[in-house]
Amino acid sequence: MPSFPSRPLARPRDDGLQLSYQLPHRVYTAKGYPVLAHNGSSIIIYGYENGLKVIWRGGRPFANGKPSAPPDKPQEKTNRGNDDAIMIIDSDDESPAEPLKSDEASYQFEDEVPEIDPIFPFESVLHQIDIPLGARVLELAVPRILPEGARSSLDHFPPILKKHMVISAVCADLSTRVVTLPLSPPHPARFEVSSWVQALSISGGVSHQDVPRGVSLAFTYQEAELQEGQDKARSQSGSNGNGPGRWDLLVATHSAESSGLLIIHRIPIVEQTDHGEVQYRLDDSDIDSKRRYLPNPAQNIAFNPSSYPSPRHSTLLVTFHSGCVKIYSCFSTKPLKVSRRTSSPQNDFGTSDTEGKWLISLYPGFEQSPNGLPRRKTIINAEWVLGGRAIMVLMADGEWGVWDVEGAGPGTVKGPLQRQSSVQGVTGGSLTAFSVSGRILSPLSGALSETGVSLTEQRPRFAPLTPHTKRVREDTLLKGATIGSTVPSLCGEISVYQTNSYRDALADESILLRHGNQSAVIPSLLSLWRNAVKVTGTFDASNRCRVSAIQGITLMGENLKGIGHLPAVSRQTCQAESGGFDTLLTAERRIIILAPRLITPDESCASLGSVNETSAVETDQLRLRRGELDVEGMDRLLSGMASGNQSLQMGSPMKRARIFT
């Protein structure tokens, strides 16, 4: 199969570069892995007609020289006949799978990243591998792992994620695949697919009988059963994930089977020791599957990004196309019936798991249908924000809003999921009020609807003067033209990436929105939220506190199918703030990356000089407005005007309104 192109089609943008990778096959879904590889490479995974493709981009390259041989181990039986194939584990088989064997010790990476080529000022493709699964991959899911700077070393972290990546995919053959492979790229000289990739297949009676529409995964911890009379301190240490027990992988899929079906698989992660090295594998012999029939087919599902032992780590967000968002607890606990006469301290809840239960239902507003009757707004996507304490939804008309479920956001108190008597985080019965909301608007020029018709051509230029056209002209005069309105779309996506440290009280996240072929970015949801609820004080009008449309994207006539964050290594760029990530866009037959342009040390010195010159000109203009500019400063301004480098600006600063669209 043709490989992923090493050189993209680079197109300059105002904020960097657009890198387009033309592919010889159709791309169905693509994701950026939330953490970097050990050598600093960004990881891109996408699904195509026959399986998965994994690309390592940027980072430290392989060291020159022949890789060293792996350490000697006792000779084992070589009775495996499928060394050149991927290890496919069927859930119906009873034979246990072998743990992954990593060859990281057999090769090394360079100590520093390579120098920037001024002709190609962007990260290059380091390595790529194909993972054939024998079926079309329709949807992908990666765990919501916090970046390295936003995660505390004291947080409970699944040990399998320290050296391996876990990917879940749903295929056209009705199966669910869980693929595990090392984070670091394999060396081309010593790469064997069978020793690097483990693919577990869930099919048959425990899977769907219809094509799955979505997948999500998370990690949980199962405590070991303690005998009565054991020390209480040991029990408490086990509840924190440090005592006896094991980590499990939760994989949730949904389909339109019957009225709607939700299946949750709990896959054990087995720890093994091989010659002093701890290895992990997914155990297919003890998979626990639970089926839950839904009132309607779900639009999308998402596990809460909180980690164990948070009680919300196993809650699942289920979005329905009919205009409803529900929160489902996969492993709810039963309250203990404790006698009132007992004086010993007791826990409020027991440790036995139930079949799960629905916690809360949230509803958006209403809109007018084409026949004039009110109807519930259509939700096309929903995602957890604020570290799993709030929910952000995107609707078909381009409106987005945030429900503060726990009352953790600015200007609110604890919400209903915290069992508070005074609830102000989420209010309303059939209509749930948003804590902060906005709308994605189409660009003022060159906007196309999903049918390919220009928005400026939807209204004729000349119309007869009738009472109806007169009313339309009056509405346009008073309310403005409809060119910048939103085109309804049933396709959309929300991507969330935390940007601040764990030391902060609230999680600050960057939000990427896709509505049809339009895309927008919220650099800081927390800053926008604070400005929305601020009553007094100075309003922050920076770009971090607004929704900015991502314009100037060249799709070559293809439809935009996905958007997401791609973590990037920290390097010197032409932008002051790169945010620590690039933007990953998915089209029909191409992968597009919006990244800042990398600069060389010489360009850095030159740009530093231009910044100093710009600051000197701004200082002269400020002194001119105050009436403090001397003759030499006036001479500099006039010289700049004569050379056309700078125009004289004496106007007052532009006043900006509180616009969140």
Side-chain angles (χ1 to χ4, degrees):
M1 182 187 123
S3 61
F4 191 83
S6 59
R7 293 296 182 186
L9 177 61
R11 180 175 176 269
R13 291 171 48 86
D14 295 338
D15 55 352
L17 296 174
Q18 173 183 327
L19 309 176
S20 300
Y21 295 87
Q22 179 69 35
L23 303 176
H25 47 257
R26 181 176 294 273
V27 181
Y28 293 96
T29 178
K31 296 285 184 181
Y33 203 73
V35 296
L36 299 174
H38 297 152
N39 64 324
S41 298
S42 303
I43 305 175
I44 304 173
I45 309 112
Y46 73 85
Y48 64 101
E49 192 70 29
N50 195 36
L52 294 174
K53 186 86 169 181
V54 183
I55 301 100
W56 284 267
R57 173 178 174 267
R60 294 179 288 113
F62 298 103
N64 295 329
K66 187 176 181 180
S68 59
D72 295 335
K73 294 182 180 180
Q75 186 177 2
E76 299 178 356
K77 297 181 180 180
T78 59
N79 55 356
R80 291 176 295 177
N82 56 345
D83 291 341
D84 298 333
I86 296 179
M87 188 191 313
I88 303 294
I89 304 172
D90 197 344
S91 59
D92 297 333
D93 297 339
E94 297 181 357
S95 59
E98 296 185 1
L100 296 177
K101 297 181 180 180
S102 176
D103 294 337
E104 293 182 7
S106 60
Y107 62 89
Q108 296 179 352
F109 295 98
E110 297 286 352
D111 296 334
E112 298 180 356
V113 294
E115 296 183 356
I116 301 171
D117 188 354
I119 303 178
F120 304 103
F122 48 82
E123 300 287 357
S124 60
V125 175
L126 179 62
H127 194 64
Q128 53 185 300
I129 63 172
D130 287 319
I131 306 178
L133 299 178
R136 181 189 310 165
V137 176
L138 302 178
E139 292 291 340
L140 280 176
V142 294
R144 282 277 300 270
I145 310 173
L146 293 179
E148 188 103 17
R151 187 174 65 244
S152 173
S153 59
L154 300 179
D155 293 342
H156 301 284
F157 193 71
I160 192 175
L161 296 180
K162 295 180 180 180
K163 294 184 178 181
H164 297 83
M165 68 177 82
V166 180
I167 308 164
S168 181
V170 290
C171 303
D173 60 352
L174 312 184
S175 65
T176 302
R177 311 294 180 95
V178 181
V179 180
T180 307
L181 67 159
L183 274 172
S184 299
H187 198 282
R190 298 188 56 84
F191 173 64
E192 293 182 1
V193 181
S194 59
S195 62
W196 272 79
V197 178
Q198 175 189 357
L200 185 147
S201 176
I202 303 176
S203 59
V206 297
S207 183
H208 295 273
Q209 302 304 315
D210 194 5
V211 178
R213 296 187 174 184
V215 60
S216 182
L217 59 87
F219 290 87
T220 185
Y221 189 82
Q222 183 176 1
E223 303 174 10
E225 296 182 359
L226 300 178
Q227 298 179 359
E228 297 182 359
Q230 282 186 330
D231 189 31
K232 183 179 178 181
R234 182 180 176 183
S235 176
Q236 292 179 352
S237 65
S239 63
N240 293 332
N242 298 325
R246 74 177 187 210
W247 286 92
D248 294 340
L249 175 65
L250 298 177
V251 180
T253 57
H254 69 94
S255 67
E257 182 181 349
S258 299
S259 61
L261 179 61
L262 174 67
I263 300 181
I264 301 175
H265 306 282
R266 186 166 184 169
I267 307 174
I269 301 176
V270 181
E271 177 181 340
Q272 295 181 348
T273 303
D274 185 11
H275 302 283
E277 182 181 359
V278 179
Q279 300 174 354
Y280 300 92
R281 66 175 180 87
L282 301 178
D283 186 10
D284 65 318
S285 62
D286 190 17
I287 299 179
D288 183 17
S289 300
K290 295 183 179 180
R291 304 166 69 93
R292 182 86 181 196
Y293 286 95
L294 306 175
N296 297 301
Q299 180 71 12
N300 77 295
I301 57 177
F303 272 109
N304 196 292
S306 302
S307 60
Y308 182 88
S310 173
R312 71 174 80 90
H313 80 281
S314 60
T315 55
L316 186 67
L317 179 67
V318 184
T319 306
F320 295 93
H321 194 273
S322 58
C324 178
V325 174
K326 294 178 178 289
I327 299 178
Y328 180 73
S329 179
C330 299
F331 306 104
S332 300
T333 54
K334 296 180 180 179
L336 293 175
K337 295 181 180 180
V338 184
S339 176
R340 296 182 179 179
R341 297 181 179 180
T342 180
S343 59
S344 59
Q346 299 287 343
N347 295 329
D348 294 336
F349 294 90
T351 58
S352 60
D353 294 339
T354 66
E355 294 297 328
K357 65 178 181 180
W358 298 103
L359 300 180
I360 191 174
S361 299
L362 307 172
Y363 299 92
F366 294 87
E367 63 182 358
Q368 189 174 5
S369 61
N371 57 7
L373 298 177
R375 65 181 180 183
R376 185 79 66 178
K377 289 189 175 182
T378 303
I379 300 177
I380 58 178
N381 200 272
E383 190 57 74
W384 295 97
V385 294
L386 209 66
R389 299 181 177 182
I391 298 173
M392 186 174 189
V393 294
L394 179 63
M395 285 162 281
D397 60 350
E399 182 184 2
W400 60 267
V402 177
W403 286 316
D404 193 0
V405 180
E406 296 188 6
T412 56
V413 297
K414 291 186 177 181
L417 294 188
Q418 296 295 324
R419 302 183 297 277
Q420 297 295 319
S421 59
S422 177
V423 177
Q424 297 182 11
V426 172
T427 59
S430 62
L431 174 61
T432 310
F434 290 123
S435 299
V436 58
S437 61
R439 185 178 296 273
I440 301 176
L441 297 180
S442 302
L444 298 178
S445 62
L448 294 176
S449 63
E450 291 186 348
T451 58
V453 180
S454 176
L455 295 177
T456 58
E457 298 175 357
Q458 294 180 358
R459 180 175 296 176
R461 181 175 300 178
F462 300 101
L465 184 59
T466 62
H468 175 70
T469 57
K470 183 178 180 181
R471 183 172 64 254
V472 171
R473 291 178 60 187
E474 291 175 353
D475 293 342
T476 303
L477 178 62
L478 297 177
K479 300 180 182 179
T482 59
I483 297 178
S485 60
T486 304
V487 181
S489 176
L490 297 179
C491 300
E493 188 177 0
I494 301 175
S495 179
V496 183
Y497 186 82
Q498 183 170 337
T499 57
N500 62 343
S501 173
Y502 67 92
R503 297 182 179 89
D504 298 332
L506 294 177
D508 193 7
E509 296 156 330
S510 169
I511 309 295
L512 291 176
L513 302 172
R514 177 180 66 89
H515 181 262
N517 282 335
Q518 304 297 328
S519 56
V521 58
I522 304 177
S524 174
L525 178 62
L526 191 60
S527 301
L528 187 146
W529 195 335
R530 287 171 178 168
N531 273 354
V533 301
K534 184 182 297 183
V535 180
T536 60
T538 304
F539 176 75
D540 187 1
S542 63
N543 292 330
R544 291 176 53 84
C545 305
R546 62 176 58 190
V547 184
S548 303
I550 304 177
Q551 300 183 9
I553 302 176
T554 304
L555 298 176
M556 301 295 181
E558 299 181 1
N559 293 325
L560 183 62
K561 299 181 59 179
I563 191 172
H565 294 84
L566 180 63
V569 65
S570 178
R571 295 189 67 172
Q572 192 171 16
T573 64
C574 60
Q575 288 181 309
E577 296 182 2
S578 59
F581 62 89
D582 300 334
T583 303
L584 178 66
L585 303 175
T586 307
E588 296 176 354
R589 289 181 176 271
R590 67 183 64 244
I591 297 292
I592 300 175
I593 299 177
L594 304 182
R597 178 180 177 272
L598 305 180
I599 58 176
T600 59
D602 297 338
E603 293 177 339
S604 176
C605 298
S607 62
L608 182 60
S610 62
V611 169
N612 295 334
E613 293 177 0
T614 304
S615 60
V617 173
E618 293 177 353
T619 303
D620 291 340
Q621 290 187 359
L622 180 61
R623 295 179 62 186
L624 176 63
R625 296 190 189 100
R626 296 178 178 177
E628 302 175 355
L629 188 63
D630 54 4
V631 178
E632 296 181 358
M634 185 64 69
D635 189 18
R636 287 194 299 268
L637 283 180
L638 294 177
S639 300
M641 292 177 60
S643 60
N645 293 332
Q646 183 71 24
S647 62
L648 187 62
Q649 300 177 358
M650 298 183 63
S652 60
M654 181 179 61
K655 298 181 179 179
R656 300 180 180 178
R658 294 191 179 188
I659 301 176
F660 300 106
T661 56

